[in-house]
Amino acid sequence: MTGDAVVQQVGGRPWVSWWRMLRIALLAGWVAWACLAWWAAPREASAAQARADLAGGHVTSYEWGDDWEHDGGPILPVDVRLRSSGSAGPIFLWHTGDGRTHYTVLDDGATSYPPATAENGLEYSGPQAQALGLAVQAYQDRGAPPEPPTKTIMAGLAIAGSLLVLGVLVSAPGPVIGTRWFWFWVLTGVPFGLGLLAWLARERPWSPRAEPREKPYRWYVGIGLAFLSGLLISLATWGLHSLFGDALIPDPA
């Protein structure tokens, strides 16, 4: 049986090849990772909801910040973190026990209020942040519920998937649509892991119907496609976020 075969006959019974099983496993892993990433992405909420979650004991952790910084890379462009210059606010971000993340912007983004200093010496961005700080203090006194393993599961899926993809890319029968380096740049450079879906759908050993090219795409084509897809997906994400808001397309930055 060659690496392209998807079904073999053993004792008259059809058996699904290990290539198909691995293909299904990679696809299922990507779907699980994408769903968790979408679920846990920060969504804008109100200060009232922040106080309600704090009072109800739903907050597992929180942080203050004054701006966003991107550190998700091309795989998940909406994965952002808060950057703080020292004061508490004007952005308050909190995680809840159901694995979700919310944030609220206080004091008009700290553009119209002077900093406010609380009795404990912590400097807030303004009066709204200082008022929310009282609820945070009460939350700290009660203790927080345990953090759900959402990030751990996502990291495990990403590491396992990356190792499997790298192993197949190196050891499987040679690709025919593009070179191994072409697919390496597509897999690592296309946002949201969408390059993985293209690889699973069109290339060998996953698709026995992949048509060999006389001149397979080279590495520089992969880099170009990754760059172009990054721009197009960013524009599409921005447009969909503008239409549907955080509920469907979270993008706090």
Side-chain angles (χ1 to χ4, degrees):
M1 184 182 71
T2 66
D4 293 336
V6 295
V7 177
Q8 62 178 346
Q9 292 290 125
V10 179
R13 294 181 59 190
W15 289 79
V16 179
S17 76
W18 71 279
W19 283 121
R20 174 169 288 183
M21 296 298 294
L22 184 57
R23 187 187 196 183
I24 294 173
L26 286 171
L27 180 59
W30 179 86
V31 171
W33 171 86
C35 290
L36 287 174
W38 176 84
W39 179 261
R43 288 170 168 82
E44 189 170 10
S46 64
Q49 182 177 339
R51 285 191 289 270
D53 286 342
L54 288 165
H58 305 305
V59 177
T60 58
S61 61
Y62 71 93
E63 55 185 303
W64 295 94
D66 49 36
D67 201 0
W68 299 100
E69 61 181 9
H70 292 260
D71 62 354
I75 301 298
L76 188 59
V78 298
D79 186 20
V80 295
R81 295 182 183 273
L82 278 179
R83 180 173 64 245
S84 177
S85 59
S87 62
I91 303 174
F92 179 74
L93 181 144
W94 70 99
H95 305 275
T96 52
D98 58 359
R100 311 209 77 171
T101 303
H102 307 276
Y103 73 96
T104 185
V105 181
L106 306 162
D107 302 310
D108 298 329
T111 60
S112 59
Y113 294 98
T117 303
E119 295 180 357
N120 58 9
L122 183 62
E123 187 178 82
Y124 292 94
S125 60
Q128 292 179 342
Q130 185 178 18
L132 184 58
L134 297 176
V136 171
Q137 184 61 49
Y139 150 85
Q140 290 176 326
D141 294 339
R142 291 193 309 269
E147 191 84 28
T150 306
K151 291 184 178 180
T152 302
I153 296 174
M154 288 177 60
L157 288 171
I159 293 172
S162 298
L163 292 176
L164 285 173
V165 166
L166 183 60
V168 172
L169 196 61
V170 171
S171 62
V176 295
I177 295 176
T179 64
R180 285 185 168 91
W181 278 110
F182 165 81
W183 284 112
F184 173 82
W185 291 113
V186 170
L187 287 164
T188 59
V190 176
F192 302 113
L194 295 178
L196 174 65
L197 302 185
W199 185 50
L200 293 175
R202 297 199 55 197
E203 187 57 277
R204 294 184 180 178
W206 317 113
S207 175
R209 295 184 298 274
E211 293 292 336
R213 287 180 54 85
E214 183 178 350
K215 292 183 178 181
Y217 295 122
R218 305 293 297 276
W219 61 270
Y220 49 82
V221 179
I223 293 178
L225 284 177
F227 177 77
L228 181 61
S229 64
L231 290 178
L232 294 177
I233 292 173
S234 295
L235 288 174
T237 301
W238 174 80
L240 291 173
H241 175 75
S242 301
L243 287 174
F244 301 108
D246 280 345
L248 291 179
I249 310 296
D251 185 6

